[in-house]
């Protein structure tokens, strides 16, 4: 049995909390983590396969860069640039895909905006926003994805961990069935290292690292996107041809649950000036 | 690796720095050339996102003067190949990128640019 997921409370400055319980943990476990994360989730692979040749995108919180080589059947037709805070994960992301192709990666924070505004055609944020320790910070991260892409045709895909886990997942999630709210938890990562002792016997040492997650409740991601977009002056609706010129909006293309995650796919639009 | 495709998308995001913050200027750049598969359709799709003048000026800073100063209306195969080389085959492995407005320094190490800001520099 894997160690238990336990409820936690963010009891200090959110940024310091993330530094301690997210960033420092990933620097430590990067090598091991990277070797276990190579299979892309179907919805994300499908999303990337649907994009036209010549599009450039941002993978915000790229981790070990497993989405950078996609789409698999049209290599080199998209350019996805990976951004992450962890130097050790970026070192792995650089060579993601296992070919000798070098990937574009940048060290940066998902709450910053070191890009020309709206310059990307698409942005993916996979298993990242759930590591931010307050609602406000998670909302800002969503807003950064909306600001990164073209207001005219940008596409966004966001994936976060769900409180409702797949039956196959061995994780037991503490949850409050009364409130149906999201839940802050520590998810343990066991890092085993083998050491040879003097008598040539191999000793295994294991250390447990607790990573912070905010596990999303049903409907929480959609509500977050709604709030984030509205605050930026965007309608959350389908594009309508009779709107005022200059009206900006974001259409929810799909919104669902896949293998213990909630996801939302968005398309930005704006009404042309007359 | 900062290739010029990435460089052309980055801009300074330090606190209060909102004008004249693009393009970042390379300093002490160490360049490696790596061949990449040529995909003319990809380059054509990419072009609307590229700031031509910034690309030409930056390539020149790095010692490559193969691009015309004015963006041609018609893109023939030869020009697409030149663009392919400038955008995708020149890797800046070490060095710095400096903001033309506030002089903020973004270091590049082992091919990875560091765009993180110190707490007091975040907008
Ligand atoms: Zn600046």
């Amino acid at each position: 049995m894997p160690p238990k997921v336990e409820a936690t409370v963010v009891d200090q400055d959110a940024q310091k909390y993330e530094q301690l319980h997210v960033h420092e943990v990933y620097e430590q476990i990067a090598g091991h983590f990277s070797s276990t994360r190579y299979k892309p989730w179907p919805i994300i692979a499908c999303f990337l396969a649907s994009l036209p040749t010549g599009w450039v995108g941002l993978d915000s919180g790229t981790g070990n860069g497993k989405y950078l080589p996609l789409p698999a059947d049209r290599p080199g037709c998209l350019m996805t640039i990976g951004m992450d805070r962890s130097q050790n994960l970026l070192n792995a992301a650089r060579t993601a895909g296992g070919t000798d192709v070098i990937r574009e990666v940048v060290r940066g924070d998902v709450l910053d905006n070191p890009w020309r505004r709206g310059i990307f055609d698409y942005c993916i944020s996979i298993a990242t926003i759930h590591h931010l320790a307050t609602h406000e910070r998670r909302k800002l991260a969503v807003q950064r994805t909306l600001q990164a892409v073209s207001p005219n045709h940008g596409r966004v895909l966001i994936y976060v961990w769900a409180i409702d886990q797949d039956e196959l997942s061995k994780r037991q999630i503490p949850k409050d069935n009364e409130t149906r709210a999201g839940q802050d938890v520590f998810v343990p990562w066991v890092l085993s290292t083998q050491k040879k002792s003097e008598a040539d016997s191999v000793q295994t040492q294991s250390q447990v690292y607790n990573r912070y997650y905010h596990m999303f409740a049903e409907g929480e991601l959609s509500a977050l996107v709604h709030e984030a977009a509205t605050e930026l002056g965007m309608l959350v609706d389908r594009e309508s041809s009779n709107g005022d010129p200059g009206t900006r909006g974001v259409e929810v293309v799909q919104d669902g649950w896949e293998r213990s995650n909630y996801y939302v796919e968005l398309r930005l639009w704006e009404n042309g000036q007359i | 690796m900062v290739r010029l495709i990435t460089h052309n998308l980055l801009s300074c995001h330090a606190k209060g720095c909102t004008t004249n913050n693009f393009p970042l200027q390379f300093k002490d750049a160490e360049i490696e050339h790596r061949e990449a598969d040529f995909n003319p359709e990809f380059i054509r799709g990419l072009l609307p996102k590229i700031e031509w003048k910034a690309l030409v000026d930056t390539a020149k800073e790095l010692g490559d003067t193969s691009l015309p100063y004015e963006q041609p209306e018609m893109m023939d195969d030869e020009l697409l190949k030149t663009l392919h080389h400038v955008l995708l085959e020149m890797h800046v492995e070490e060095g710095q990128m400096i903001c033309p407005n506030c002089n903020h320094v973004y270091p590049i190490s082992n091919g990875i640019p560091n765009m993180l800001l110190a707490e007091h520099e975040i907008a």
Side-chain angles (χ1 to χ4, degrees):
Chain A
M1 278 291 284
K4 255 182 90 185
V5 174
E6 281 178 42
T8 183
V9 175
V10 179
D11 55 359
Q12 65 185 111
D13 175 73
Q15 200 179 342
K16 292 197 178 102
Y17 193 84
E18 291 161 15
Q19 180 61 33
L20 199 59
H21 299 295
V22 179
H23 306 313
E24 285 179 17
V25 174
Y26 274 112
E27 289 296 16
Q28 295 295 325
I29 69 173
H32 186 217
F33 173 85
S34 194
S35 65
T36 63
R37 293 289 190 282
Y38 50 87
K39 245 189 138 164
W41 277 311
I43 295 261
I44 304 161
C46 228
F47 172 79
L48 292 169
S50 74
L51 303 175
T53 294
W55 273 26
V56 178
L58 175 66
D59 182 0
S60 188
T62 192
N64 67 341
K66 70 176 162 174
Y67 295 103
L68 303 183
L70 298 182
D73 60 337
R74 284 186 298 146
C77 283
L78 298 179
M79 168 71 79
T80 310
I81 298 174
M83 183 169 80
D84 206 280
R85 257 196 101 94
S86 163
Q87 187 71 41
N88 291 340
L89 286 174
L90 288 176
N91 288 337
R94 244 193 125 191
T95 53
T99 55
D100 54 2
V101 178
I102 301 285
R103 311 292 166 188
E104 287 294 288
V105 297
V106 170
R107 191 163 187 217
D109 193 296
V110 299
L111 298 182
D112 289 345
N113 204 356
W115 308 99
R116 281 161 58 205
R117 228 15 108 85
I119 194 60
F120 291 102
D121 298 301
Y122 62 97
C123 177
I124 59 174
S125 167
I126 311 301
T128 299
I129 290 175
H130 56 213
H131 283 314
L132 295 164
T134 65
H135 175 81
E136 285 302 310
R137 290 167 74 80
R138 293 188 286 271
K139 182 173 69 189
L140 182 59
V142 172
Q143 289 175 332
R144 291 302 187 224
T145 69
L146 297 173
Q147 291 166 329
V149 300
S150 161
N152 186 260
H153 66 261
R155 306 265 300 266
V156 174
L157 184 68
I158 299 172
Y159 241 78
V160 292
W161 250 22
I163 213 167
D164 304 292
Q165 293 282 297
D166 198 307
E167 278 178 15
L168 294 172
S169 157
K170 298 183 201 83
R171 295 189 188 95
Q172 291 290 318
I173 308 301
K175 61 176 161 182
D176 188 335
N177 285 319
E178 299 273 297
T179 61
R180 296 181 170 273
Q183 174 72 53
D184 290 336
V185 296
F186 275 150
V187 179
W189 185 276
V190 183
L191 191 64
S192 306
T193 42
Q194 297 202 323
K195 264 192 183 163
K196 255 190 182 169
S197 69
E198 283 171 19
D200 256 10
S201 64
V202 177
Q203 282 192 328
T204 306
Q205 285 189 327
S206 49
Q207 191 171 352
V208 178
Y209 294 91
N210 279 318
R211 270 175 307 163
Y212 165 81
Y213 279 78
H214 173 80
M215 308 196 87
F216 278 67
E218 189 176 3
E220 188 179 353
L221 179 61
S222 320
L224 186 69
V225 165
H226 203 284
E227 192 185 336
T230 307
E231 251 185 42
L232 294 179
M234 300 164 114
L235 295 178
V236 183
D237 204 348
R238 290 201 169 172
E239 181 169 9
S240 79
S241 49
N242 52 13
D244 293 331
T247 304
R248 295 177 57 193
V250 46
E251 177 192 346
V252 179
V253 178
Q254 53 170 342
D255 179 4
W257 180 93
E258 181 189 46
R259 300 189 186 177
S260 311
N261 295 275
Y262 286 117
Y263 63 89
V264 61
E265 182 189 336
L266 310 168
R267 186 198 305 268
L268 277 68
W269 55 265
E270 68 182 340
N271 283 337
Q273 309 284 344
I274 295 170
Chain B
M1 37 302 74
V2 193
R3 283 183 269 178
L4 293 198
I5 182 175
T6 303
H7 171 269
N8 204 271
L9 309 177
L10 287 168
S11 71
C12 181
H13 62 123
K15 195 175 190 168
C17 187
T18 51
T19 53
N20 188 31
N21 55 355
F22 168 86
L24 303 174
Q25 284 156 354
F26 282 113
K27 189 172 173 244
D28 303 328
E30 288 173 29
I31 303 166
E32 262 183 45
H33 293 263
R34 290 194 188 89
E35 250 181 67
D37 291 336
F38 176 51
N39 182 340
E41 211 190 320
F42 173 76
I43 303 288
R44 280 186 198 278
L46 182 63
L47 269 176
K49 280 140 287 203
I50 295 297
E51 277 279 343
W52 188 267
K53 186 178 179 316
L55 179 67
V56 175
D57 288 348
T58 306
K60 202 169 149 196
E61 263 174 52
L62 298 179
D64 189 300
T65 54
S66 56
L67 288 173
Y69 206 72
E70 295 286 331
Q71 181 169 2
E73 303 238 325
M74 292 289 287
M75 290 284 162
D76 57 20
D77 236 34
E78 198 185 334
L79 187 58
L80 290 174
K81 270 186 185 145
T82 306
L83 274 167
H84 166 78
H85 175 70
V86 171
L87 286 164
L88 299 175
E89 296 190 322
M90 290 163 48
H91 297 247
V92 177
E93 295 288 322
E94 301 288 332
Q96 299 176 331
M97 292 183 292
I98 298 172
C99 173
N101 182 45
C102 75
N103 294 323
H104 189 91
V105 176
Y106 297 97
I108 302 165
S109 166
N110 224 347
I112 301 177
N114 187 352
M115 300 303 290
L116 290 175
L117 300 170
E119 211 168 317
H120 65 278
E121 298 163 338
I122 296 171

